[in-house]
Amino acid sequence: MTTNAHATGRRAVKAVIPAAGLATRFLPATKAVPKELLPVVDRPVLQYIVEEAAAAGITDVLLVTGRGKTSMVDHFDRRPDVEQRLEEKGDLERLAAVRRTSELADIYTCRQGEPLGLGHAVGTAASHVGDNAFAVLLGDEFVEEDKPLLPAMLDLQARTGGIVLAFMEVAPHETSRYGIASVEPSDLGEDIVQVTGLVEKPSPEEAPSNLAVLGRYILPASIFEAIANTKPGNGGEIQLTDAMFQLLQDGVPVHGIIYRGHRYDTGMPLGYLQAVVQLASERADIGEEFRTWLAEFVAGGSKG
């Protein structure tokens, strides 16, 4: 185990976003367009996630990409031609929005040659991350802007070292869809628990709690050695959960924060559509008109 597994005091400033998956649930739309760039109103999913990281003080973001996903990097690059056209038109609001994407954080990329699991994807970031703790943000979910999650996770990891996870409470019949944690109370603060175990997709009868793992992790650099020692599981994939459990068994502290805000899950078509509708309904510019139309549509009114 590397020596900094329990290191405390330094807040993570780098984030890794695994985004090399094939997104088969969204085919044929994702044949040429990465799932992470599907728009939620007028911003792609990935931008919401990078904005979440930037708002928490993350200045360095590594995208773990795969074949056919270079357009994700392009989204965060400058577009002088578009900017010039908007400036000539006097459309300063859209000009600022376009420029902002290239100013959120320093964006880097590495390639995952094959989609061999989340653990494998995180492992490809070893040389970029170095010996410091870092955040992992899954590329298909994000949280409410006015109820952030990452700042508390980063602060807790700086205090305790080790691993910090995020949890949400789910109904008992939903435990078979998630990784579920077994926990003990902690005196570190409200909604903070100490994690004693992780079970992948247990039945309601076997679930140790109703706390499901969210797609946000703060990990020590020692996770890379654990990933290297993790054998492939189901489907030949290297699971991040298995590597974290290995560190837990080695005595690395693992804590969790129970998130009370709303999590948008765009990894499946239904969740993606729900996120679009919810966020469109809340927009100051189109929300009122959209809600009126939606209510009429649901009631069986005009489709126009």
Side-chain angles (χ1 to χ4, degrees):
M1 188 191 308
T2 53
T3 56
N4 70 337
H6 304 269
T8 60
R10 184 172 180 181
R11 199 174 188 263
V13 295
K14 293 185 178 183
V16 175
I17 302 179
L22 299 177
T24 54
R25 293 186 182 94
F26 285 87
L27 286 171
T30 50
K31 181 181 177 182
V33 179
K35 176 184 67 174
E36 294 81 7
L37 291 187
L38 294 179
V40 178
V41 189
D42 56 3
R43 283 183 282 169
V45 173
L46 184 59
Q47 183 173 332
Y48 283 90
I49 296 167
V50 173
E51 288 174 345
E52 182 183 336
I58 297 289
T59 57
D60 179 309
V61 175
L62 178 70
L63 304 179
V64 181
T65 67
R67 190 174 293 106
K69 294 208 166 189
T70 56
S71 55
M72 290 193 302
V73 184
D74 293 340
H75 178 73
F76 296 97
D77 202 355
R78 292 289 302 271
R79 279 295 303 270
D81 55 334
V82 174
E83 293 173 21
Q84 181 179 351
R85 182 66 182 273
L86 291 171
E87 193 165 8
E88 290 172 351
K89 292 172 61 179
D91 194 341
L92 301 184
E93 183 176 349
R94 286 191 175 87
L95 175 63
V98 169
R99 283 180 173 167
R100 184 169 183 269
T101 60
S102 61
E103 299 168 350
L104 288 170
D106 295 326
I107 306 294
Y108 303 90
T109 64
C110 69
R111 291 290 290 269
Q112 184 185 18
E114 297 179 77
L116 297 178
L118 178 57
H120 181 264
V122 172
T124 64
S127 61
H128 182 84
V129 169
D131 294 330
N132 302 309
F134 64 103
V136 172
L137 295 79
L138 298 194
D140 53 14
E141 58 184 86
F142 55 95
V143 300
E144 295 177 82
E145 290 184 22
D146 60 351
K147 293 182 180 178
L149 172 61
L150 273 180
M153 295 182 69
L154 292 164
D155 291 343
L156 179 61
Q157 201 279 337
R159 290 167 58 194
T160 63
I163 297 171
V164 172
L165 305 176
F167 300 125
M168 63 178 181
E169 293 181 320
V170 298
H173 69 273
E174 294 182 306
T175 58
S176 60
R177 296 172 49 197
Y178 301 97
I180 302 295
S182 55
V183 301
E184 294 178 349
S186 167
D187 59 1
L188 293 172
E190 186 178 2
D191 288 333
I192 297 176
V193 294
Q194 183 167 345
V195 180
T196 59
L198 296 166
V199 182
E200 192 66 30
K201 300 179 179 179
S203 66
E205 297 76 22
E206 297 175 339
S209 74
N210 70 331
L211 296 179
V213 179
L214 275 171
R216 298 292 181 269
Y217 314 78
I218 314 297
L219 302 172
S222 56
I223 193 67
F224 296 122
E225 183 180 348
I227 290 171
N229 293 329
T230 298
K231 296 180 180 179
N234 291 336
E237 295 188 343
I238 297 173
Q239 300 297 339
L240 182 61
T241 299
D242 293 339
M244 292 191 298
F245 186 67
Q246 180 181 319
L247 290 187
L248 177 63
Q249 291 182 310
D250 289 341
V252 174
V254 182
H255 295 88
I257 295 179
I258 303 172
Y259 182 61
R260 303 295 183 183
H262 183 78
R263 165 229 190 199
Y264 299 96
D265 181 5
T266 64
M268 299 182 69
L270 178 58
Y272 168 74
L273 291 172
Q274 289 171 334
V276 172
V277 171
Q278 287 176 279
L279 289 170
S281 297
E282 296 167 1
R283 288 275 293 254
D285 54 347
I286 61 172
E288 183 177 357
E289 186 176 354
F290 179 69
R291 289 193 303 271
T292 300
W293 171 85
L294 186 62
E296 293 174 352
F297 175 77
V298 171
S302 173
K303 295 182 181 180

